[in-house]
Amino acid sequence: MMRLMRKLSNKSSLLPLCAATLGCALIAPAQAAWEPTRPVEFIVPAGAGGASDQMTRLIQSIVVKHQLMKQPMIIQIKSGSSGAEGAMDVQDSKGNPHKVLVAFSLIYTLPMSTALPLDWRKMNALAMIAQDEFLLWNNVESPHTTAKAFLDAVKAAPAGSFKLGGTGSKREDHLINFAVGKGYGAKFTYIPYKSGGEAATQLVGKHIDANVNNPSENIAQWRAGQVRALCVFSEQRMAYKEKVTKDQSWADIPTCKESGVDVQYQMLRAFFLPPDTTAEQAAYYVELLRKVVASSEWKEYTERNALKQTFVNGQDFVKFLEKDDAYHLTLMKEAGFAK
């Protein structure tokens, strides 16, 4: 609490003035809003070059450019043990408001597939700022130019003949691989990588036949004419109509459902503080994120990388998490990934 800058030598003489003008509020000590007192670590529990890393670095650049935070924002890549290193670091940092978890669906899948005592309910949920799409990509030199033609070829081949790359094991990319095999009969050999960036490189080099990367993880290769976007795992086509390549916009990419693959999956992009942090500390970061998503740089990024713009915090965010957690549990059980 701030100290008064001067002593009141005659308090009694002020009482009539207080009563008449409500001036008492002006001489009462003011409570300063909380803000960080040292550098803030944003913990990315995923590999360098992936969608989470790219998004967090964009946020960092916005914070710096617009001077949204007095203290430095430091990005820490902690992808060990499929992201468990980073997620548990934040959960174990009780009461520390200078660590922020950059969260995605691993907050559900990791504890479901392992004995890891990770529980998003123990942490201080801040906000979801977007949802990420997933696409099926193949190499542009593949003779299969549509999702149906490609998946029919996979289905006709002996099971496992085609290789599909993704980020991590028993996580979102692996779940999509399972769902495609179950729903369409196109069964790949799944190859896990440390990040979507690595999966993109492997597809360009023809070490795998396909991947299910987020838009941001394959956009450079798409623009360079090295990979082909076959379909998006969403109920509806993406909204962004500006051309990304010479011939295509995100909106031009059909849904996988249009090709007979009724599989939908979107992933939250969200943030959490460690347990035992306060509502006031959470409010600071929620306001910081509001300013970030209001920036022209963020809007440009979401359009370029086809993120679904979504901002949810408070109880609405908790309700979303509960529903999304239950959905992932169903998927994990069907895939046989749940411990």
Side-chain angles (χ1 to χ4, degrees):
M1 186 171 288
M2 297 177 61
R3 295 181 178 178
L4 290 173
M5 299 304 295
R6 59 186 176 84
K7 293 183 179 180
L8 301 176
S9 58
N10 190 353
K11 297 179 182 178
S12 60
S13 65
L14 292 173
L15 292 178
L17 180 63
C18 284
T21 67
L22 300 180
C24 293
L26 299 177
I27 63 173
Q31 177 69 48
W34 183 89
E35 62 181 80
T37 56
R38 61 177 187 269
V40 179
E41 295 179 81
F42 276 64
I43 308 299
V44 179
S52 293
D53 180 28
Q54 291 182 42
M55 182 192 72
T56 309
R57 293 189 188 281
L58 184 276
I59 291 172
Q60 182 188 49
S61 71
I62 294 171
V63 169
V64 172
K65 178 179 179 179
H66 297 285
Q67 300 180 356
L68 301 182
M69 191 163 63
K70 295 177 182 178
Q71 294 293 332
M73 174 180 165
I74 300 172
I75 298 173
Q76 298 279 14
I77 302 293
K78 295 190 175 183
S79 59
S81 302
S82 296
E85 176 192 10
M88 289 306 299
D89 179 23
V90 175
Q91 183 171 293
D92 291 341
S93 299
K94 292 183 178 180
N96 181 0
H98 296 90
K99 281 190 178 182
V100 179
L101 177 64
V102 181
F104 49 95
S105 57
L106 97 163
I107 60 173
Y108 317 125
T109 57
L110 266 178
M112 290 175 187
S113 63
T114 68
L116 192 73
L118 176 66
D119 187 350
W120 61 263
R121 295 169 184 82
K122 294 179 180 179
M123 292 185 278
N124 194 343
L126 297 176
M128 174 173 67
I129 65 172
Q131 289 178 284
D132 223 337
E133 305 283 6
F134 285 76
L135 283 78
L136 179 65
W137 307 82
N138 69 352
N139 192 291
V140 74
E141 295 183 16
S142 167
H144 311 296
T145 60
T146 67
K148 187 177 189 308
F150 180 62
L151 292 172
D152 282 347
V154 177
K155 187 176 180 179
S161 299
F162 284 72
K163 297 177 182 177
L164 184 142
T167 304
S169 179
K170 298 181 180 180
R171 282 174 41 183
E172 55 278 355
D173 293 15
H174 204 174
L175 282 172
I176 293 172
N177 169 73
F178 165 77
V180 170
K182 179 184 177 183
Y184 199 80
K187 296 183 178 180
F188 293 88
T189 294
Y190 180 76
I191 309 294
Y193 294 105
K194 292 180 180 179
S195 71
E198 187 176 355
T201 301
Q202 295 297 311
L203 180 57
V204 170
K206 301 181 184 178
H207 302 294
I208 53 177
D209 301 290
N211 68 34
V212 288
N213 270 353
N214 308 126
S216 64
E217 294 170 328
N218 266 21
I219 187 172
Q221 294 79 9
W222 190 35
R223 277 182 170 153
Q226 297 170 315
V227 300
R228 180 186 295 119
L230 295 173
C231 65
V232 58
F233 294 99
S234 181
E235 184 68 28
Q236 298 177 331
R237 291 194 182 198
M238 293 174 282
Y240 303 109
K241 296 182 179 180
E242 185 175 344
K243 297 297 182 186
V244 179
T245 70
K246 181 181 178 181
D247 303 315
Q248 280 189 305
S249 70
W250 293 115
D252 291 326
I253 300 168
T255 67
C256 298
K257 188 175 182 179
E258 289 176 54
S259 299
V261 186
D262 192 8
V263 176
Q264 290 93 43
Y265 190 92
Q266 292 174 322
M267 183 172 68
L268 80 164
R269 294 291 179 186
F271 299 85
F272 290 77
L273 280 175
D276 299 337
T277 47
T278 69
E280 187 180 26
Q281 290 162 347
Y284 171 85
Y285 289 107
V286 171
E287 183 60 25
L288 176 71
L289 292 168
R290 284 191 192 279
K291 292 175 181 176
V292 166
V293 301
S295 70
S296 60
E297 294 86 357
W298 175 257
K299 292 177 182 178
E300 180 185 340
Y301 176 82
T302 55
E303 291 176 7
R304 184 174 67 251
N305 295 292
L307 271 76
K308 183 178 180 181
Q309 297 184 33
T310 309
F311 192 99
V312 184
N313 69 297
Q315 283 303 307
D316 288 339
F317 182 32
V318 174
K319 290 177 182 178
F320 172 89
L321 290 166
E322 292 284 2
K323 184 177 179 180
D324 210 30
D325 186 286
Y327 174 65
H328 278 81
L329 182 58
T330 299
L331 291 177
M332 292 288 284
K333 286 181 176 179
E334 287 181 354
F337 297 162
K339 190 173 178 61

